[in-house]
Amino acid sequence: VVHFAVTLVHVVAGGVWAGGVLALARLVTARRRPRERTYAAEMEVPFSVVAAVSLGSVAVAGLAMAWMVDADVVGGPSTPWGRTLWVKVGFVAVAVVLGAYNHFRLRPRLAAGLEGEEPVVHLQRTVVVEVLLLTAAGVASAVLVTASTI
């Protein structure tokens, strides 16, 4: 029951984070619709808070899940499951760094009135890379789930 609850928190929070980043990427990369790009820039401000809460939930639940599956998580890179876990953590860590850049560097500039196109262009790049990293983390998660049930 505890493992199910922790897994549910991890999956739902991860879905909110990844889904929000995907929606933001879709809007901010709309080349033919400048209004959608502006709207995406405006949405970065409130989404940043939602993403931070989701990220915290994902991290706490992910640590709990990893410990429930393999109590020796730190020594885990010696096993295929552990290596896959650390690859996933690497993908997520880079996505977190990009999200932090968006939150601490781009969000204030976007909230202040966009200062031209530069912050929007940076937002385009970072959210597309974030989507790719979170997709890779999702694939790694599928490998982890399959490997832990065998």
Side-chain angles (χ1 to χ4, degrees), residues 14-95:
V16 168
W17 181 28
V21 171
L22 180 61
L24 193 60
R26 164 60 186 94
L27 287 173
V28 82
T29 59
R31 298 192 191 284
R32 295 186 191 159
R33 298 183 186 95
R35 175 65 191 130
E36 286 185 8
R37 289 174 52 197
T38 302
Y39 178 69
E42 292 168 0
M43 291 308 301
E44 168 58 25
V45 176
F47 174 68
S48 187
V49 174
V50 172
V53 171
S54 296
L55 173 61
S57 301
V58 165
V60 170
L63 286 169
M65 285 173 41
W67 182 78
M68 286 181 207
V69 172
D70 182 2
D72 186 24
V73 175
V74 176
S78 61
T79 67
W81 190 89
R83 283 189 291 277
T84 304
L85 176 65
W86 283 102
V87 166
K88 176 188 174 181
V89 168
F91 289 140
V92 171
V94 175

Side-chain angles (χ1 to χ4, degrees), residues 136-150:
V139 170
S141 293
V143 171
L144 289 169
V145 168
T146 302
S148 66
T149 59
I150 296 176

Side-chain angles (χ1 to χ4, degrees), residues 21 24-25 28-29 31 37 40-41 44 95 97-110 114-131:
V21 171
L24 193 60
V28 82
T29 59
R31 298 192 191 284
R37 289 174 52 197
E44 168 58 25
V97 168
L98 289 174
Y101 173 77
N102 289 344
H103 181 78
F104 293 109
R105 297 285 299 206
L106 293 182
R107 186 180 62 86
R109 294 172 65 196
L110 292 167
L114 297 180
E115 295 178 21
E117 286 289 309
E118 183 188 345
V120 175
V121 171
H122 286 294
L123 184 62
Q124 285 175 327
R125 291 178 186 149
T126 58
V127 295
V128 167
V129 173
E130 262 189 281
V131 166

